[in-house]
Amino acid sequence: MNFEKCLESSPLIAILRGITPAEIPGVCDALFENGIMLLEIPLNTPDALTCIAEAVRYAGDRQLIGAGTVLSSEDVCRVNSSGGRFIISPNTDTAVIRKTKELGLISIPGFFTPTEGFTAIAAGADYLKLFPAGCMGKGYVKDLQAVIKKPILAVGGISEENLKDFLSVCPGAGIGSALYKNGKSAEEVRESARRLMAVVKA
């Protein structure tokens, strides 16, 4: 399972903050049925590593599982041991980026300024996560792309209302509460995924 091919197949990364191990099968199925292949479980989720391992086991080869809110090299190692294949952070930490690449994982650090973007690229980042993106709009992404040539993913405040705008300038976007939040049933996730993918297909 290749991150780039998954992103080309569906440009959405499902951010499953607060998910429980028991919810993994139903949510994985709901997302897969709508073509969402990339699943991020943030490390500030209770039992996050257990959830990552369970999602890796359940999803098998059909979806790619990674971790978000990764703040240290030690966390990168723990995610790798749990089977996670990509590392997403809210910030630019060169030690986290280098450890991620050392372990053969996909590195997606958060950035907000050109300086942070170039720092992340120099450390080996594969993609850049503009965070928070929703408050800035696609114009800011276009300005950044004048000098930053790594692919930029939009995360933070992305919803049905602004998804189309961001996908016109970004190869992908991370979707959090608009897709999943704690307590949302698998059927509700399925319906949210359907609506978001309708925007993608449009």
Side-chain angles (χ1 to χ4, degrees), residues 134 156-166 174-176 178 196 199:
I158 310 300
S159 65
E160 282 181 68
E161 287 67 36
N162 61 12
L163 177 60
K164 183 178 178 181
D165 277 350
F166 279 105
I175 311 289
L196 287 160
V199 174

Side-chain angles (χ1 to χ4, degrees), residues 11-197:
L12 304 186
I13 302 172
I15 302 171
L16 307 179
R17 180 171 284 105
I19 197 167
T20 65
E23 292 177 293
I24 293 290
V27 170
C28 282
D29 287 345
L31 297 172
F32 181 72
E33 287 164 19
N34 285 282
I36 297 175
M37 316 295 286
L38 297 169
L39 281 57
E40 170 196 338
I41 298 175
L43 292 188
N44 56 0
T45 294
D47 297 321
L49 295 173
T50 300
C51 290
I52 290 169
E54 174 60 15
V56 169
R57 184 199 67 77
Y58 186 81
D61 292 333
R62 70 180 193 175
Q63 289 160 306
L64 200 65
I65 314 301
T69 320
V70 180
L71 302 177
S72 71
S73 299
E74 292 77 16
D75 283 341
V76 175
C77 294
R78 294 184 187 103
V79 171
N80 182 57
S81 296
S82 298
R85 303 311 302 158
F86 58 90
I87 299 294
I88 302 180
S89 302
N91 62 329
T92 299
D93 185 320
T94 57
V96 168
I97 297 167
R98 291 189 179 110
K99 178 57 71 173
T100 299
K101 297 314 300 173
E102 179 187 315
L103 294 175
L105 309 180
I106 297 294
S107 171
I108 312 172
F111 86 111
F112 194 71
T113 67
T115 298
E116 291 173 329
F118 282 114
T119 298
I121 292 168
D126 297 292
Y127 296 80
L128 299 178
K129 163 188 161 179
L130 177 61
F131 177 79
C135 61
M136 300 305 290
K138 73 174 187 179
Y140 185 59
V141 178
K142 292 176 74 174
D143 289 344
L144 289 167
Q145 287 170 334
V147 292
I148 291 176
K149 301 309 177 184
K150 279 286 182 182
I152 296 173
L153 307 178
V155 181
I158 310 300
S159 65
E160 282 181 68
E161 287 67 36
N162 61 12
L163 177 60
K164 183 178 178 181
D165 277 350
F166 279 105
L167 290 183
S168 71
V169 293
C170 297
I175 311 289
S177 59
L179 182 56
Y180 172 87
K181 57 185 176 182
N182 188 250
K184 200 168 181 176
S185 71
E187 189 53 46
E188 290 171 322
V189 173
R190 183 175 285 104
E191 177 58 23
S192 294
R194 185 195 65 75
R195 292 198 307 269
L196 287 160
M197 285 302 292

